[in-house]
Amino acid sequence: MTAADGTVSRGRAADAVTAALEAQISSGALAPNSPLPAERDLMEQFGTSRTVIREAISILANRGLVESKPRFRPVVRKPDYESALHAVSGVVRHLLADQGGVKNLYQSRLFIERALVREAAVSADKQDIADLKQALAANQAAISDSLEFYRTDTAFHGALYRVIRNPIFPAIHEGYTAWLAPHWSKMLRSPERNAMNYRAHEAIMNAILERDPAAAEAALTEHLNAAWEHVRVTFNIDKL
Amino acid sequence: MTAADGTVSRGRAADAVTAALEAQISSGALAPNSPLPAERDLMEQFGTSRTVIREAISILANRGLVESKPRFRPVVRKPDYESALHAVSGVVRHLLADQGGVKNLYQSRLFIERALVREAAVSADKQDIADLKQALAANQAAISDSLEFYRTDTAFHGALYRVIRNPIFPAIHEGYTAWLAPHWSKMLRSPERNAMNYRAHEAIMNAILERDPAAAEAALTEHLNAAWEHVRVTFNIDKL
DNA sequence: CTTTCATTTTGGTCCTACCATATAATTTCT
DNA sequence: AGAAATTATATGGTAGGACCAAAATGAAAG
């Protein structure tokens, strides 16, 4: 087969189509949130069979550049850090099922957040502080409502991932939230436990306000370790 | 269509095949590094057309569970943290091409490694120290050989990612190495610059040996910032 | 203007066929 | 007999056509 640039591809024609569509997405010719052209149009546009068109779309879907629900037109997605996380989610499922997978992931989260609270204590600006305070207040207000508490709990930790101005970190937070959620949901939520977790958040907040990175890191570490220990002993997931 | 478990899937039959193959891989029925059965055998085994078999294989490939070179039999791969990184590499390319992508990635690396050297200074054990020392020695021995210096440089930083016993982190290091390599290779390597970088590594090592996390973090920060600054001013990649 | 119904698109699946190459089998040569 | 060259087969990649069910669309009815 002969590609547009004249090179002979002995391997996959789909790769050429994939690259072309990638380019059209990057250049904005295919706007985000707009549906992809119909497969039969694409096969005319690229002069190939539907087979290769479909394979190309499949590749783009797994790359996170388009979102394809069965029976629906694939929708173009701007490649952002969330879609990158979405792309790994398939493998992550296997890793979590593996021995120690959940523990490894949780440990990495602890490690990251330790560094984040330290960073927050050292260099959070007024806006960061305001965001954290607001998230904390919302968390306090939700102590009696376990479902809402979980949401605000996640939001508070999420605020931590935003003190460092880097879109990679909020995406990482979303990853942790999504992948660890099944195990967090196991946690027996109660107003008492919620209150305990809120106090832990408060301690972290105070350490940040006092610009004490060591105290912030210590508070965060104890908070996450306590949560882990609770899940661990309650559900005996040591081997996970 | 009716799947093996009797459920009727209105969407994709390929998903059923994918799941079945996933199970066979997880259970070890399909051993790692062994080739997948031929497509025509699989279509008989699952009672579906080659189309869906091929789509399932494609999905598995993008999930990182099988590695498929064009025209070759797909090879089963045990899903590890490296294959997870491999799965994102497609999207990452786009993110790096985007505005500030490289900078964001490099900043995240700096953030992670700051925490890593701090961790190393606090809790590196004898083995960790020995590994770091060996990596440092190899780095010193390669000052005059820029190519080899790059390799040992990477190895030294890699040793940092292993002090915390978590397979996620070496994988992250591989990601940084692979994705940042194109930009690092731009760096004008010379014995002088190599010597400079070696001294930076030495300073980090010393701080770790002295169990001084703050000094270690400072040394690492200066090291990576200097490298970034050099790349930045030399090649004017501010907007990358 | 909304609802309902008939029509057309469109994605998902199946099938058959053919090509090019990787792999296995066979022959040929040393 | 063993190695190298040759032929045959198996296998992945692509093409094209067909059918179905659900989605999108347009027309008719309320």
Side-chain angles (χ1 to χ4, degrees), chain A residues 202-214:
Chain A
E202 204 174 35
I204 295 168
M205 179 86 252
N206 286 336
I208 292 174
L209 290 174
E210 290 169 18
R211 300 299 180 181
D212 187 341

Side-chain angles (χ1 to χ4, degrees), chain A residues 104-120 157 160-164 168-173 176 217 220-221 224, chain B residues 108-109 111-116 119 161 164 166 168-169 172 176:
Chain A
N104 282 336
L105 188 64
Y106 195 84
Q107 187 191 355
S108 76
R109 179 192 164 183
L110 170 59
F111 184 78
I112 299 277
E113 293 198 10
R114 275 170 53 202
L116 284 173
V117 293
R118 181 175 279 277
E119 182 75 8
H157 284 266
L160 255 24
Y161 286 81
R162 270 184 290 276
V163 301
I164 172 172
I168 294 178
F169 287 88
I172 293 175
H173 178 239
Y176 283 136
E217 182 178 346
L220 183 277
T221 301
L224 287 189
Chain B
S108 76
R109 178 192 165 183
F111 184 79
I112 299 278
E113 293 199 10
R114 275 170 54 201
L116 284 173
E119 182 76 9
Y161 286 81
I164 172 173
N166 190 322
I168 294 179
F169 286 88
I172 293 175
Y176 283 137

Side-chain angles (χ1 to χ4, degrees), chain B residues 86-146:
Chain B
H86 184 70
V88 257
S89 58
V91 210
V92 170
R93 267 190 32 244
H94 284 272
L95 296 176
L96 292 183
D98 230 40
Q99 204 263 337
V102 176
K103 192 171 188 174
N104 282 336
L105 188 63
Y106 194 84
Q107 187 191 354
S108 76
R109 178 192 165 183
L110 171 58
F111 184 79
I112 299 278
E113 293 199 10
R114 275 170 54 201
L116 284 173
V117 292
R118 181 175 279 278
E119 182 76 9
V122 172
S123 60
D125 63 18
K126 281 194 172 61
Q127 186 60 53
D128 296 326
I129 301 287
D131 291 345
L132 284 166
K133 275 186 174 172
Q134 185 187 334
L136 186 64
N139 190 229
Q140 183 178 29
I143 289 181
S144 58
D145 181 348
S146 284

Side-chain angles (χ1 to χ4, degrees), chain B residues 1 11-14 40 48-52 71-72:
Chain B
M1 297 297 104
R12 336 190 100 125
R40 288 169 175 85
T48 65
S49 68
R50 199 143 81 93
T51 308
V52 32
R71 295 265 163 210
F72 284 79

Side-chain angles (χ1 to χ4, degrees), chain A residues 133-210:
Chain A
K133 275 186 173 171
Q134 184 188 334
L136 186 64
N139 191 228
Q140 183 177 29
I143 287 181
S144 58
D145 181 349
S146 284
L147 199 67
E148 182 67 5
F149 186 83
Y150 173 72
R151 212 186 56 76
T152 56
D153 184 333
T154 301
F156 176 74
H157 284 266
L160 255 24
Y161 286 81
R162 270 184 290 276
V163 301
I164 172 172
R165 309 259 188 272
N166 190 323
I168 294 178
F169 287 88
I172 293 175
H173 178 239
E174 286 194 29
Y176 283 136
T177 303
W179 301 329
L180 257 16
H183 302 273
W184 270 76
S185 68
K186 287 184 185 174
M187 271 186 78
L188 302 175
R189 295 264 171 195
S190 69
E192 292 73 33
R193 287 209 71 81
N194 293 347
M196 196 184 91
N197 284 322
Y198 166 72
R199 283 195 300 276
H201 293 161
E202 204 174 35
I204 295 168
M205 179 86 252
N206 286 336
I208 292 174
L209 290 174
E210 290 169 18

Side-chain angles (χ1 to χ4, degrees), chain B residues 165-203:
Chain B
R165 309 259 188 271
N166 190 322
I168 294 179
F169 286 88
I172 293 175
H173 178 239
E174 286 193 30
Y176 283 137
T177 303
W179 301 330
L180 256 17
H183 301 274
W184 271 74
S185 67
K186 286 184 184 175
M187 272 186 75
L188 302 175
R189 296 262 169 196
S190 68
E192 292 73 33
R193 289 210 70 82
N194 294 347
M196 197 184 91
N197 285 322
Y198 166 73
R199 283 195 300 276
H201 294 161
E202 204 175 35

Side-chain angles (χ1 to χ4, degrees), chain A residues 89-108:
Chain A
S89 58
V91 208
V92 170
R93 266 190 32 245
H94 285 271
L95 296 177
L96 292 183
D98 231 41
Q99 205 263 337
V102 176
K103 192 171 188 174
N104 282 336
L105 188 64
Y106 195 84
Q107 187 191 355
S108 76

Side-chain angles (χ1 to χ4, degrees), chain B residues 27 141 147 194 225:
Chain B
S27 76
L147 199 66
N194 294 347
N225 277 341

